Amino acid sequence: MTEPSWPRSGENLEITHKRGKPTLRTIATIAGLAVTTVSRALSDAPQISLETRQRVHRIAREIGYLPDRAAQRLKTGRTNVIAILLDSHEEVVGFSTSIMYGIAKALKETSYHLVVAPNFLSTTDVEAAEYIVRNHLADGLIFTRTEPLDARVRLLLETGFPFICHGRTEFSTPHPYVDYDNFTFAYEATRRLIAKGRKKVAVVLPPKRLTFCQHILHGFMTAVRAAGIAYEIPETVDLDTPADVLRDFISSRAAALEAPDGFICPGEVSALAVISGMSDAGRTLAVDYDIVAKETSRLLTQLQPKVDTIHEDLTAAGEDLGRMLLQRINNADAEDLHLLLPPQINFPVDQAL
């Protein structure tokens, strides 16, 4: 069946000013569509063409249409809400803003809204997830900082609640995730330091409970063993250590014997703390030591151009998270959705060895 045409943006929209609060019938009149078609387009029904859905959503935005969410929930059983559980961890500069912006981009042409649930207000992470599931506060859940046997993943798999996580687990049961290739990040970062002539390299690892700690450690150890060079893995500090504590540790370590002269930092804050600590100990960046850091905000590129960086695009990750979760919500069998994002390596050509 051929879908009818309708007025372009701005045409006949004055109808809404004459009739008060816009309704589905208002959109149908402007679009030249049946009310049922408009309703299905706003619900992103796959049977309606993408062009039709996008234009109906555009008209709805332009006339200020707001659905009756209570009525929608009674009719469909859906909330049209995506919830994201955020941790209080601030090591990654702009993590929350970047990843939420990406999710919002994925939801832009849909009827879904993003709601932030700060999980540090709950006693445990799994309690925050359980509260959302039990009270049906969302149709799908996104969360970060996964653990190998993450209790949130186990809960959501058992209940069949749609979710996607930023990070992997070690569960044998397939589940949706988007992750960054931290093995390759650590491997290439270590090789870069070795190529620059560093004799002893150290890595600031994430907390051991997190899955990506093992990925970074594996990449780091693969590179140092292949090169046969000395290495160091600090046991008393990690990526979650407050910056001032990490700075003091690095300063103290630099003054001791056989101190590292190369550092891999999986975050910008940790890299800045290492630079500050080494400076306190009288060491000069790019002379006495080098750093390769994971960068998410371009902060280091602007403030510390002598630091080699490998980029992680959190906005792109957020967009993938949102897009894939919508697929899972619309298809209960779509459990094996996963994506591993590659590091963006762009070391300066003039420094390549």
Side-chain angles (χ1 to χ4, degrees):
M1 180 178 177
T2 303
E3 295 176 357
S5 61
W6 55 80
R8 292 289 176 179
S9 177
E11 296 182 14
N12 295 337
L13 297 187
E14 65 272 10
I15 190 173
T16 62
H17 300 292
K18 298 178 181 179
R19 297 185 180 178
K21 182 179 178 181
T23 64
L24 289 177
R25 188 168 296 281
T26 309
I27 301 173
T29 301
I30 296 170
L33 295 170
V35 172
T36 53
T37 302
V38 170
S39 177
R40 295 171 71 191
L42 289 174
S43 299
D44 295 301
Q47 296 85 355
I48 307 298
S49 73
L50 178 61
E51 180 186 4
T52 300
R53 282 181 276 157
Q54 290 176 338
R55 297 187 70 179
V56 168
H57 277 290
R58 174 181 54 76
I59 292 172
R61 289 196 303 272
E62 290 178 351
I63 67 176
Y65 169 76
L66 293 174
D68 185 332
R69 294 200 171 277
Q72 276 191 335
R73 183 166 181 172
L74 286 173
K75 181 179 179 180
T76 67
R78 288 190 172 184
T79 64
N80 282 337
V81 168
I82 297 296
I84 178 170
L85 289 174
L86 287 181
D87 196 275
S88 58
H89 176 61
E90 294 294 341
E91 198 330 297
V92 181
V93 176
F95 178 90
S96 301
T97 302
S98 298
I99 209 160
M100 285 193 294
Y101 177 67
I103 297 169
K105 285 179 65 177
L107 303 182
K108 183 178 179 181
E109 299 296 336
T110 76
S111 58
Y112 280 93
H113 293 257
L114 181 64
V115 171
V116 179
N119 62 349
F120 58 87
L121 296 179
S122 300
T123 303
T124 66
D125 289 348
V126 72
E127 286 181 350
E130 188 175 27
Y131 181 80
I132 290 171
V133 173
R134 184 175 62 248
N135 294 283
H136 196 191
L137 300 179
D139 297 330
L141 183 61
I142 299 172
F143 53 91
T144 64
R145 290 168 66 83
T146 54
E147 301 179 10
L149 298 177
D150 201 294
R152 296 166 297 181
V153 172
R154 179 182 286 109
L155 167 72
L156 296 168
L157 285 174
E158 289 175 350
T159 59
F161 191 86
F163 74 96
I164 188 167
C165 48
H166 185 241
R168 284 168 281 174
T169 69
E170 293 181 0
F171 285 110
S172 58
T173 303
H175 64 79
Y177 69 80
V178 173
D179 200 7
Y180 177 78
D181 189 352
N182 280 290
F183 171 91
T184 299
F185 157 73
Y187 180 75
E188 294 297 340
T190 308
R191 290 184 64 209
R192 175 66 173 177
L193 292 173
I194 294 169
K196 296 182 83 167
R198 294 307 166 189
K199 303 302 182 184
K200 185 175 186 179
V201 293
V203 59
V204 179
L205 289 175
K208 292 180 180 179
R209 71 179 186 280
L210 301 178
T211 308
F212 81 110
C213 174
Q214 297 305 314
H215 299 155
I216 290 178
L217 179 60
H218 187 196
F220 174 73
M221 293 304 301
T222 299
V224 297
R225 284 171 175 163
I229 70 163
Y231 66 91
E232 186 171 306
I233 302 173
E235 292 290 334
T236 59
V237 294
D238 60 32
L239 200 60
D240 282 6
T241 298
D244 58 333
V245 177
L246 179 57
R247 177 201 63 211
D248 292 345
F249 170 84
I250 293 295
S251 178
S252 175
R253 183 68 192 89
L257 295 175
E258 299 181 346
D261 59 358
F263 296 88
I264 295 97
C265 297
E268 290 150 306
V269 174
S270 58
L272 291 171
V274 170
I275 293 170
S276 181
M278 293 296 280
S279 178
D280 289 347
R283 305 295 190 271
T284 302
L285 178 62
V287 176
D288 301 310
Y289 72 100
D290 282 295
I291 293 178
V292 180
K294 184 193 294 185
E295 186 179 47
T296 58
S297 71
R298 306 298 183 186
L299 177 67
L300 286 172
T301 298
Q302 296 171 0
L303 298 182
Q304 295 288 346
K306 292 182 180 179
V307 174
D308 284 327
T309 59
I310 297 177
H311 189 65
E312 178 180 6
D313 191 337
L314 290 175
T315 298
E319 194 166 1
D320 289 323
L321 286 165
R323 174 181 55 82
M324 291 167 64
L325 180 56
L326 291 176
Q327 292 179 37
R328 169 62 185 86
I329 289 171
N330 292 318
N331 182 3
D333 295 325
E335 291 285 4
D336 197 16
L337 296 169
H338 58 267
L339 182 63
L340 187 62
L341 299 173
Q344 297 177 15
I345 303 172
N346 189 26
F347 296 138
V349 174
D350 60 344
Q351 294 182 20
L353 300 174

